[in-house]
Amino acid sequence: MSHPAAIRPVRSMLFVPADSERKLAKGADTAADALILDLEDAVAPSRTAIARGMALDYLRAHTDRSRQQLWVRINPLDGDAALLDLMVAGGAPDGIVLPKVRSASEVTRLSNFLDALEVREGVARGTIRIMAVATETPQALFTLGSYEGCSSRLAALTWGAEDLAAALGASTNRRPDGEYDTVYQLACAGCLAAAHAAAVQPIDTIWPDFKDEAGLAQDARRARQRGFTGKMAIHPAQVDAINAAFTPSDEELAWSRRVVDLFESNPGLGTVGLDGKMLDMPHLKQAQRVLALAQRFAA
Ligand code: COA
Ligand code: MG
């Protein structure tokens, strides 16, 4: 996956309700690669105006983003609330999380708004990125192939199963064995493929049961094995496990180096055996990807 220049990859993105002074302070103390200051579902409608002001203040007070990026989740673009939320552009957020999209055309529309807002607010042009929540509406499931080239601001796609369940009139999104039901597995797989098709980061959805550490660790590992490069969190206690799951292990790095070395020292070789396993081009690509990822996190 090639990342457009200047987009730093993130492993963990921690949601913080933007109207909570206490949680904003706690979030800063975590190792989350990014905070998502939430103006949408985690904030009561009566507190939205307060939350906007607090998010803007927080952004302005935290201008060094080298350790922790600051993103803001706004309200869905089809309502007036989203337009008011965009006052946070003045704080130069690293990105906007756009919920409940129906298709990539909403990303393009938001991108156009940001073009104007960046100029008005004196923010460097094109620097506010976008992550779309690409599976929260029924329409969105049919437009997952629409993101390639929709905006140079698009940095990531993620998926959600809670709002989709509400939109589908479902009383649960889980099967009796606890796994996501078919339509939510489709949403997950669709988001993963859509992100890779658009050459942006695929970010896995939240693990809602924040007391279930073992479940989260396993879920995060499986997401990485599938090809996700990061995951959202809802509680500080989830951050370290997510960072660990999305950081290549020493074992993985050593294996990847061996694979790359083997092909480099045997130019013209299409397939080769290593430790009794057949390796060909897809394995080389995956090994190169792991090394590149490690390099970006080290930088
Ligand atoms: N960000 C920052 N700090 C958080 C936090 C978060 N997402 N979630 C909890 N904390 C803080 C709490 O304020 C508490 O700090 P304190 O002891 O100084 O008061 C500490 O971490 C422990 O929290 P805990 O008591 O275990 O959880 P809680 O009952 O206070 O909160 C939630 C539970 C789910 C309400 C809370 O985790 C939360 O608000 N999560 C984010 C929800 C969200 O943004 N959802 C939108 C996306 S789905
Ligand atoms: Mg929601």
Side-chain angles (χ1 to χ4, degrees):
M1 180 181 34
S2 66
H3 292 272
I7 296 179
R8 278 176 297 136
V10 289
R11 296 163 300 182
S12 50
M13 303 183 85
L14 172 64
F15 270 111
V16 183
D19 67 332
S20 169
E21 197 92 55
R22 203 179 179 109
K23 287 178 186 170
L24 286 168
K26 279 249 158 177
D29 282 343
T30 70
D33 290 334
L35 300 183
I36 303 175
L37 313 184
D38 193 21
L39 299 178
E40 199 213 6
D41 286 348
V43 176
S46 63
R47 305 259 311 161
T48 308
I50 292 167
R52 281 181 195 123
M54 288 176 67
L56 182 56
D57 288 347
Y58 190 87
L59 290 164
R60 289 198 162 134
H62 297 80
T63 51
D64 178 4
R65 314 281 172 73
S66 52
R67 188 185 70 81
Q68 190 167 68
Q69 297 182 25
L70 298 176
W71 290 61
V72 178
R73 181 168 72 171
I74 63 170
N75 282 280
L77 207 54
D78 56 6
D80 288 351
L83 301 178
L84 294 168
D85 294 344
L86 285 173
M87 71 185 252
V88 299
D94 293 276
I96 299 291
V97 178
L98 185 60
K100 299 183 179 64
V101 299
R102 280 164 299 196
S103 80
S105 66
E106 291 179 38
V107 173
T108 308
R109 198 147 62 91
L110 173 58
S111 185
N112 292 340
F113 293 160
L114 292 172
D115 285 345
L117 289 168
E118 283 171 346
V119 171
R120 196 183 74 182
E121 302 289 344
V123 173
R125 287 191 69 171
T127 50
I128 304 177
R129 307 292 181 183
I130 298 171
M131 175 167 83
V133 192
T135 69
E136 286 185 319
T137 65
Q139 295 91 334
L141 295 183
F142 299 98
T143 59
L144 283 164
S146 65
Y147 290 92
E148 188 177 5
C150 68
S151 165
S152 57
R153 295 181 189 276
L154 188 70
L157 292 179
T158 189
W159 65 286
E162 313 301 325
D163 288 278
L164 182 58
L168 298 179
S171 55
T172 175
N173 52 26
R174 302 279 181 171
R175 299 188 314 213
D177 68 1
E179 291 287 329
Y180 275 123
D181 215 332
T182 319
V183 69
Y184 311 95
Q185 290 185 12
L186 177 88
C188 171
C191 168
L192 177 66
H196 282 282
V200 300
Q201 263 204 273
I203 301 289
D204 194 30
T205 196
I206 59 160
W207 181 257
D209 185 354
F210 59 85
K211 302 234 156 114
D212 177 14
E213 287 172 34
L216 166 72
Q218 190 196 23
D219 190 54
R221 268 197 309 275
R222 283 175 58 184
R224 169 135 190 270
Q225 285 166 353
R226 283 192 187 111
F228 284 94
T229 59
K231 186 175 178 66
M232 298 186 294
I234 53 160
H235 192 284
Q238 296 184 318
V239 169
D240 291 345
I242 292 176
N243 283 346
F246 287 95
T247 306
S249 66
D250 292 344
E251 231 174 27
E252 259 180 287
L253 285 176
W255 169 259
S256 300
R257 252 181 232 116
R258 280 181 71 201
V259 172
V260 170
D261 287 350
L262 191 63
F263 277 98
E264 272 175 6
S265 55
N266 294 283
L269 209 63
T271 182
V272 64
L274 183 63
D275 298 350
K277 278 193 199 126
M278 188 275 291
L279 298 178
D280 59 4
M281 285 305 123
H283 302 98
L284 174 60
K285 268 191 211 155
Q286 180 57 20
Q288 287 167 332
R289 189 193 287 262
V290 168
L291 294 181
L293 197 65
Q295 218 163 44
R296 280 210 303 273
F297 287 134

